[in-house]
Amino acid sequence: MKVIVSKCKIFFTLLFCLFIIASAANAQTKTISGTVRSVTDNQLLAAVTIQVKGTSNSTATDAQGRYLLKNVSPSDSLIFSSVGFGSETVSVACRSLVNISLQVSDRTIVV
């Protein structure tokens, strides 16, 4: 009987540890949101691409310059880019709200 109780304690202790580890791993990713504006006139920018650096995880701003990007780690960096504007890279760190303003690019697009 003591052996069964001891094995049950070990089983539930291991189960509890697995639950804690799974919860911690899930808690490390979060959803980032924010708005993107133009530095020049402070207007909200649509169709700006926001990508997690080094991954294919990306989204784009809506018509009101807002975005929502899921599964982002605090150690990730976000790359903001749009035609006619310079790109910006921002570290996420502990933030869940990242608002940014993009500078108009002085590069000429040749078609």
Side-chain angles (χ1 to χ4, degrees), residues 6-48:
S6 178
K7 287 184 179 183
C8 283
K9 285 182 181 179
I10 292 171
F11 173 75
F12 285 113
T13 301
L14 289 173
L15 188 62
F16 178 74
C17 289
L18 286 173
F19 174 76
I20 295 298
I21 291 169
S23 296
N26 190 31
Q28 290 180 0
T29 63
K30 56 186 171 182
T31 300
I32 306 295
S33 64
T35 56
V36 181
R37 296 180 177 271
S38 167
V39 168
T40 307
D41 56 11
N42 207 35
Q43 293 295 311
L44 294 166
L45 298 175
V48 174

Side-chain angles (χ1 to χ4, degrees), residues 61-107:
T61 55
D62 63 14
Q64 288 79 39
R66 298 178 301 216
Y67 71 92
L68 189 73
L69 187 58
K70 296 180 180 183
N71 299 321
V72 180
S73 167
S75 62
D76 286 333
S77 293
L78 303 179
I79 302 170
F80 294 79
S81 60
S82 183
V83 174
F85 291 87
S87 65
E88 292 285 333
T89 303
V90 177
S91 177
V92 172
C94 61
R95 300 184 288 180
S96 58
L97 178 67
V98 177
N99 295 325
I100 191 165
S101 296
L102 295 180
Q103 192 77 259
V104 175
S105 177
D106 59 354
R107 295 183 184 174

